[in-house]
Amino acid sequence: MPQADVIIIGSGIAALSAAFQLQFSKKVTILTKSNKYDSNSMLAQGGIAAAIDTNDSWQGHFEDTIEAGCHHNDSNAAELLVKQGAEEVLALIRSGFSFDQDPEGNLLLGQEGAHRFSRILHAGGDATGKAVIHFLLSQLNHNVEIIEDEMALDLIISDGTCKGVYTRNSTGDIQTHLAQHSVLAAGGCGGLYLHTSNSNTITGDGLAMAFRAGAILTDMEFTQFHPTMLLIDGECVGLISEAVRGEGAFLQNEDGDAFMEGVHAFGDLAPRDIVARTIFSQMKNGHRVFLNITSIQNFESRFPTISAMCKKHGVCLKEGLIPVSPGMHFLMGGIKTDLVGKTSIRHLFAIGEAACTGVHGANRLASNSLLEGLVFGSRLGIHILNSSDFAVTEHEELSGRFSTSEFILPSKQEIQWMMTNYAAIERSEAGLIHTKCWFEKFLHPISFWGINVNDFTNSEVEKINMMTAGWLIVISALRRTESRGGHFRTDYPHKDDRQWLKKKFLLSKDDIQSNLQNRSGVMEIEYT
């Protein structure tokens, strides 16, 4: 039975940042359901935001983070992010990582949406995430074992303590991994939607496992849609980084109207929620939307990844117009943690997009995601190194978990269709209630009991996870009767500054189950 000091589920920047800190005195196992390069971090074209210029300040970065987050942020978390973030970036450089520089050797600092200062560092033009992941992997020693193609299925919980995780390996065998500390770094839930910038492995697995284990989740209603996904024949096929607009590109429709003018003081560099909704409105009115790149000199050398993607799909860059559409990009909410990654379950931690420290508020500021992974991954690693609290690595059997051989699940496409149509850029009470009831036809009672992992295939577990995460988003969106950041209610189109709406809505299976009535097989949740 495999044992480690620390198990990390996921292989993105947060996972690797934690492993980097732990490797010198802890045995670390990293589990990933695909290969170690398959993560949202690898796909991150944008850069890392950090106030390292002498004319910039952490206060300015902090204010931009709070403003973009619609003042829903945890201010302590946001201040920690921008202060320690600059330190982490400088530490990366001292370790030998190279950010893009001008011919004189000065760091190139770009500007992106909702930033009032040029503070975005890039590597490889538009391949920052890929460069950082490869660098961090190269820095890991023999104490870190990376197991690929092994899917985490359910957490092992006993007496309120996490003891490890059940997985299925590449040969189909169930594995029991025990550890003193378990870390969920499995990303968000972009795969719940038809159009997403996320890796196809990101299906809410960490969120759903945490919920089944009894952990508290929060802010699940806040979902960010990136405004500019490459749109080909009605399908989003890749991301067009916000850095393109930072270099001077602008949005227009097929009539040539630059429709962001007058919408926001920052124009095309307005916060992502505003740009995405404006594009969505154009498309609802029958317009096609393009990113006009004619003002950017040397576009192909500045954005090699984007250029190659456009050429692959037949987009002629010389014409200067790239067809775009919004796509699901980032979950601001997630598993509730403190500032070192502790969840409400002993010895279970969460970092990266799977976690919610409150740092992003209702809408993440551009290029704060890789920064978050570096900062909070590092903080978690240091916390565990200094911890004297150890779990006893005994585990329970699978008895008492939900098991059936006649369980009907919808297809992934059906789940994605429901979320895209009723719980995406715009929501309404009627659509959310419809989606909630649809999920509840399938979910009960899986959401409240652990699953018997022997009785479900990986694909079935993935769909259960998608439904669980989607259901949590929907019931959270029903609770928040206002529009704020990434959560827009057409029936409550304006932000409500009443204090009770600024609070975070906490979700756990114990809390929900205590308000649960089973009526004709449909879960009816009463909120207090």
Side-chain angles (χ1 to χ4, degrees):
M1 186 176 297
Q3 292 197 17
D5 295 316
V6 183
I7 287 174
I8 302 176
I9 300 166
S11 61
I13 191 169
L16 299 182
S17 181
F20 177 80
Q21 295 291 345
L22 291 164
Q23 63 182 329
F24 300 106
S25 60
K26 299 291 183 183
K27 181 181 177 183
V28 180
T29 298
I30 293 176
L31 299 168
T32 177
K33 71 177 182 180
S34 181
N35 66 71
K36 61 187 176 184
Y37 300 112
D38 197 348
S39 66
N40 280 350
S41 298
M42 273 288 290
L43 297 176
Q45 296 174 352
I48 301 177
I52 61 173
D53 189 277
T54 55
N55 296 315
D56 199 1
S57 67
W58 72 262
Q59 290 92 341
H61 191 180
F62 172 83
E63 290 169 3
D64 289 348
T65 298
I66 297 295
E67 186 65 28
C70 299
H71 298 269
H72 186 73
N73 317 62
D74 181 289
S75 59
N76 291 328
E79 182 175 335
L80 188 153
L81 176 78
V82 298
K83 284 183 173 178
Q84 187 174 333
E87 297 171 7
E88 292 291 339
V89 165
L90 293 174
L92 259 185
I93 295 171
R94 287 193 298 269
S95 298
F97 183 78
S98 297
F99 286 103
D100 293 344
Q101 302 176 0
D102 65 18
E104 286 73 43
N106 301 308
L107 289 171
L108 290 171
L109 298 173
Q111 188 169 12
E112 293 183 2
H115 287 273
R116 289 173 289 181
F117 200 85
S118 296
R119 61 170 67 98
I120 317 300
L121 298 102
H122 295 90
D126 54 4
T128 309
K130 179 180 179 180
V132 174
I133 292 298
H134 279 278
F135 179 79
L136 289 176
L137 284 169
S138 74
Q139 301 297 299
L140 299 181
N141 68 22
H142 64 278
N143 283 331
V144 180
E145 179 186 16
I146 300 178
I147 302 176
E148 299 177 289
D149 299 311
E150 187 159 332
M151 181 175 175
L153 302 173
D154 227 18
L155 297 168
I156 302 169
I157 306 294
S158 180
D159 296 325
T161 299
C162 185
K163 303 296 182 66
V165 61
Y166 294 114
T167 67
R168 182 176 285 112
N169 65 20
S170 58
T171 61
D173 297 323
I174 299 296
Q175 300 291 306
T176 301
H177 290 269
L178 301 180
Q180 300 287 341
H181 306 281
S182 300
V183 181
L184 289 169
C189 57
L192 272 63
Y193 294 85
L194 289 170
H195 307 304
T196 179
S197 64
N198 288 194
S199 162
N200 59 16
T201 63
I202 306 300
T203 49
D205 301 333
L207 305 168
M209 284 192 291
F211 181 76
R212 287 195 294 271
I216 295 172
L217 287 82
T218 188
D219 283 357
M220 290 292 289
E221 66 270 34
F222 296 119
T223 54
Q224 182 179 92
F225 284 74
H226 197 288
T228 52
M229 297 285 294
L230 178 61
L231 185 69
I232 303 295
D233 297 328
E235 296 292 329
C236 291
V237 297
L239 182 70
I240 307 296
S241 170
E242 195 160 293
V244 175
R245 279 174 285 139
E247 293 291 322
F250 63 91
L251 292 158
Q252 66 169 68
N253 60 26
E254 76 280 6
D255 297 325
D257 296 332
F259 54 81
M260 285 304 300
E261 293 180 5
V263 173
H264 188 274
F266 289 179
D268 288 270
L269 290 176
R272 286 175 174 173
D273 60 309
I274 294 172
V275 181
R277 283 198 301 275
T278 307
I279 293 174
F280 184 69
S281 176
Q282 288 280 319
M283 298 179 79
K284 280 199 306 182
N285 290 327
H287 291 294
R288 291 175 294 147
V289 175
F290 300 88
L291 196 58
N292 188 315
I293 62 170
T294 54
S295 66
I296 302 177
Q297 296 182 352
N298 304 314
F299 183 87
E300 292 186 34
S301 60
R302 173 65 182 86
F303 299 104
T305 305
I306 294 170
S307 298
M309 178 175 63
C310 288
K311 291 177 181 179
K312 175 183 175 182
H313 292 283
V315 176
C316 180
L317 294 175
K318 290 182 179 180
E319 295 179 0
L321 296 177
I322 301 175
V324 295
S325 171
M328 169 56 176
H329 189 54
F330 193 88
L331 176 70
M332 276 70 73
I335 305 159
K336 188 177 186 299
T337 73
D338 67 7
L339 298 183
V340 294
K342 285 185 182 178
T343 72
S344 57
I345 295 176
R346 288 187 66 234
H347 297 284
L348 178 65
F349 300 85
I351 48 176
E353 192 177 348
C356 182
T357 60
V359 70
H360 300 302
N363 183 36
R364 175 175 65 78
L365 180 66
S367 288
N368 269 0
S369 57
L370 291 178
L371 189 71
E372 177 193 19
L374 282 175
V375 169
F376 289 98
S378 178
R379 288 180 62 81
L380 168 64
I382 293 170
H383 169 76
I384 291 177
L385 288 177
N386 295 329
S387 176
S388 58
D389 184 21
F390 298 104
V392 178
T393 53
E394 298 174 353
H395 73 289
E396 63 172 5
E397 297 300 325
L398 288 168
S399 59
R401 290 167 171 258
F402 187 72
S403 175
T404 180
S405 59
E406 298 180 358
F407 194 77
I408 299 174
L409 293 169
S411 68
K412 282 188 180 182
Q413 290 73 24
E414 288 175 298
I415 297 168
Q416 292 167 333
W417 190 92
M418 293 295 290
M419 291 297 292
T420 300
N421 281 275
Y422 299 115
I425 295 174
E426 293 183 353
R427 295 107 182 246
S428 69
E429 182 178 52
L432 291 168
I433 290 175
H434 173 69
T435 309
K436 171 181 172 291
C437 293
W438 184 81
F439 277 132
E440 290 168 0
K441 291 190 301 182
F442 303 101
L443 275 177
H444 186 59
I446 288 180
S447 292
F448 298 99
W449 301 331
I451 58 174
N452 189 327
V453 296
N454 291 296
D455 287 357
F456 295 94
T457 66
N458 285 4
S459 177
E460 289 170 337
V461 172
E462 200 169 62
K463 286 188 281 189
I464 291 168
N465 292 340
M466 290 174 68
M467 287 191 296
T468 302
W471 177 66
L472 292 171
I473 289 171
V474 166
I475 60 177
S476 298
L478 276 169
R479 280 176 153 177
R480 187 166 294 281
T481 52
E482 65 166 354
S483 289
R484 188 179 293 269
H487 169 66
F488 187 83
R489 289 279 298 262
T490 56
D491 41 354
Y492 296 96
H494 301 294
K495 187 165 62 178
D496 193 323
D497 290 325
R498 287 176 293 175
Q499 187 64 36
W500 71 275
L501 278 179
K502 287 185 178 181
K503 74 177 184 180
K504 293 178 179 293
F505 296 125
L506 305 181
L507 297 166
S508 73
K509 69 175 185 179
D510 293 336
D511 173 60
I512 293 175
Q513 204 167 18
S514 68
N515 292 304
L516 184 67
Q517 295 178 352
N518 190 350
R519 299 174 181 174
S520 302
V522 176
M523 295 187 289
E524 296 292 341
I525 298 171
E526 298 176 356
Y527 303 111
T528 58

